[in-house]
Amino acid sequence: MTTDPAPPLVFLVGAGPGNPGLMTVRGAEVLSRADLVLYDQLVPERLLDLAPAHAVRMCVRDLPGNHPDKYPHIHRTLIETASAGKTVVRLKGGDPLIFGRGGEEAEALRAAGLAYEIVPGVTAALAAGAFLEIPLTHRMHSSAIALVTGHELPNKPGNKLDWKAIAAFPGTLAIYMGIARMPVIAAELLKYGKPADTPAAIVERASTGDQRSAYATLGTLEEVRRQAGLEAPGLIIIGEAVAQRPEHPWFEGRPLFGQRVLVTRPAHQAGGMVRKLEHLGAVVSRLPAVEIRDVDNFASVDRALGQLRHGEWDWLVFTSANGVHALLRRLDTIGRDLRDLGGVKLAAIGPKTAESLREYRLRADVVPDTTFSSEGLAGALKPHVAGQRVLLARANRGRELLRTELAKVATVEQVTVYDQVDVTAPEGAVLDALRRGEIRFVTLPSSSIAKGVLAAFDETINGRVERGEIKLIVISPETGKAVRALGYPVAAEATTFTEDGLIEAVLALARQK
Ligand code: SAH
């Protein structure tokens, strides 16, 4: 930053149209050093994960002094925070300067003498083009595109849209904020001679698994919208280009398109699964049921590390990626390194845990072939450990099976290297979505997570599970057993006990319908 004469403290960043993958790399970069993220309501929640843990995340809706048509409180927050030397990211839907008041916010910053940077974003019209496969410009059918607001402020002096000119515009019209006024807009265009049979499209939530679209002509737009039940906010696209789209746009053919899936992994570990599901077209909600924390007291971990260094253990066994990271982080923290593990053999319960070891350039000597569970690991290890000394690195809670099985042939001790703690106040909005039947698949990646999630369910949600409207999908028979023991039906069990196996099980269920 020393090469930068006046490093800006405020960034007006376009978050893109709703699909979290569509924010720019620059946007992600500045977000990763924000102290405050001030975001619009339509911004995808998952982007907030890119901000550092300490950052304050605030939706403009929740700012004090909020008023639907007045924005000075936003300007004030930006200015006060930046003046205190903090980095502020103002995250706005789509592009900040397209119907986003980004210009007004920049003006307020200029007036306050504050440096800022503007990071563009994918605006809704461009996302609709890509995700509905409407060629917004087309050599034969459209040589121009106009971005138009359907919500012109009636009191804007002398600045009314010229609908006559818009009707005559020789290209594609993308009308933002126009759904509520569609009858008026269509009437204006027809009045000024735009043909009633001009192809038109309406789309809600373009670029997300929630995307819904309908196709009509200028003359039938409102009727078609009502039939399809599309509501604001949405985008209207009018022009010959609309007719050039294929019948089945690529995105809507994704295998989980429109399916609502709940991911219950701990917040910091949910990202990979969320991305994979979104890529398959799903709408993903998150309900972290447990959190991973450091142990309160490292004395026994440090003692175990000392014993490993002195060759007192033949085997070190990991039953989760969390365990690998916790133990190796501690090794580093106390000023030691991997050479301390030089003499010990390593075992991992499954591919994910083995992969975590690989991040430290360590190879597991034993990983079960197909059954990634305590049973599988016990079976795979037993032939190797007879008469040897085995240390299990594990969480504060979990099953005893591995220890009791191995203890039949070896000397076994366990050391708790991290704590799993129930999340005390689960996300109310997600529980509401479950109550309303808006989430169909609930993925349960371990018994302890399943217990936490099911404890948060109430009668309404339980009723939906019983009627099969909400389907519980478990990672393994063991987790299935835990779920059934709590009185819940299991809709599907993964056949490979991994995250990918869990996703496969969701896919298989979705295909059935
Ligand atoms: N700055 C934003 C637009 C803000 S105005 C951008 O560049 O996209 C809000 C309007 O944008 C909505 O009323 C709707 O018309 C449109 N919009 C935003 N995201 C959309 C999406 N994913 N699908 C369809 N329309 C969207």
Side-chain angles (χ1 to χ4, degrees), residues 279-446:
H279 190 68
L280 293 164
V283 186
V284 183
S285 306
R286 297 185 306 184
L287 187 71
V290 300
E291 257 173 52
I292 304 302
R293 297 220 193 115
D294 280 346
V295 291
D296 290 333
N297 181 337
F298 279 101
S300 30
V301 179
D302 292 350
R303 187 168 353 104
L305 286 170
Q307 293 166 344
L308 285 162
R309 177 174 357 131
H310 294 116
E312 291 175 29
W313 296 104
D314 302 305
W315 285 86
L316 175 58
V317 179
F318 292 100
T319 47
S320 72
N322 286 319
V324 171
H325 295 305
L327 191 73
L328 293 175
R329 224 180 12 243
R330 183 62 186 170
L331 183 67
D332 185 61
T333 306
I334 60 173
R336 308 292 311 179
D337 65 33
L338 290 178
R339 289 170 293 182
D340 285 3
L341 304 184
V344 73
K345 290 218 166 64
L346 301 172
I349 195 165
K352 193 96 190 171
T353 306
E355 212 176 277
S356 301
L357 285 168
R358 292 289 294 144
E359 288 175 31
Y360 301 89
R361 298 288 186 269
L362 292 170
R363 273 178 209 276
D365 298 285
V366 167
V367 187
D369 279 341
T370 49
T371 312
F372 310 131
S373 63
S374 297
E375 286 83 354
L377 184 55
L381 263 177
K382 265 189 185 166
H384 298 277
V385 301
Q388 302 196 354
R389 298 156 303 174
V390 182
L391 181 64
L392 310 181
R394 53 167 286 161
N396 56 330
R397 58 191 191 193
R399 303 173 63 202
E400 292 297 320
L401 183 130
L402 188 58
R403 186 182 60 77
T404 48
E405 279 304 302
L406 294 180
K408 291 177 184 166
V409 298
T411 307
V412 184
E413 263 185 42
Q414 314 199 81
V415 57
T416 297
V417 294
Y418 68 95
D419 282 346
Q420 237 185 30
V421 186
D422 289 330
V423 174
T424 41
E427 197 70 40
V430 175
L431 291 175
D432 282 343
L434 282 161
R435 285 185 195 110
R436 288 193 300 266
E438 289 172 2
I439 293 172
R440 179 148 173 246
F441 299 115
V442 172
T443 59
L444 299 171
S446 77

Side-chain angles (χ1 to χ4, degrees), residues 17 93-95 98-100 122-124 175-177 203-206 233-235:
D95 180 272
I98 306 275
F99 306 127
V122 174
T123 191
I175 303 177
Y176 289 65
M177 298 171 280
V203 59
E204 261 181 25
R205 304 184 143 271
L235 190 77

Side-chain angles (χ1 to χ4, degrees), residues 39-61:
Y39 61 97
D40 282 347
Q41 209 161 335
L42 286 177
V43 161
E45 206 181 297
R46 178 149 85 63
L47 287 180
L48 302 177
D49 294 349
L50 298 174
H54 79 267
V56 176
R57 295 146 169 85
M58 194 182 271
C59 181
V60 291
R61 172 195 52 202

Side-chain angles (χ1 to χ4, degrees), residues 488-503:
Y488 287 87
V490 171
E493 258 173 35
T495 45
T496 327
F497 310 154
T498 60
E499 188 172 285
D500 286 345
L502 198 53
I503 293 174

